[in-house]
Amino acid sequence: MATAPTMRQKNNEYARRITKRGQKIKVEEEEEKSGPSVYIVGFLLFVVGGSAVFSFFEHMF
């Protein structure tokens, strides 16, 4: 069996944690993500703009 001081220490630890059961641990609020990256938006504009330019030249010539 455990010695008296060891048992007393474990009982105290248990007594402190018993009131915290089922509670969510508070974590610092996470920063909200700011949507799509600048690089992704630039890539999409490049693709859409490039296709528009090719389409324009295709119809002109």
Side-chain angles (χ1 to χ4, degrees):
M1 273 187 67
T3 60
T6 305
M7 187 63 84
R8 216 174 295 130
Q9 181 184 8
K10 290 185 183 282
N11 284 341
N12 287 336
E13 289 175 10
Y14 177 78
R16 279 184 296 198
R17 290 192 321 246
I18 193 82
T19 58
K20 297 180 182 179
R21 275 193 191 170
Q23 294 180 359
K24 187 176 179 182
I25 298 172
K26 293 182 181 179
V27 180
E28 294 181 18
E29 295 181 16
E30 295 180 13
E31 295 180 16
E32 293 183 21
K33 294 187 178 180
S34 62
S37 169
V38 175
Y39 299 112
I40 294 174
V41 172
F43 177 73
L44 290 175
L45 287 175
F46 174 76
V47 170
V48 171
S51 66
V53 168
F54 281 124
S55 174
F56 175 75
F57 284 125
E58 185 179 40
H59 290 300
M60 293 299 289
F61 298 110

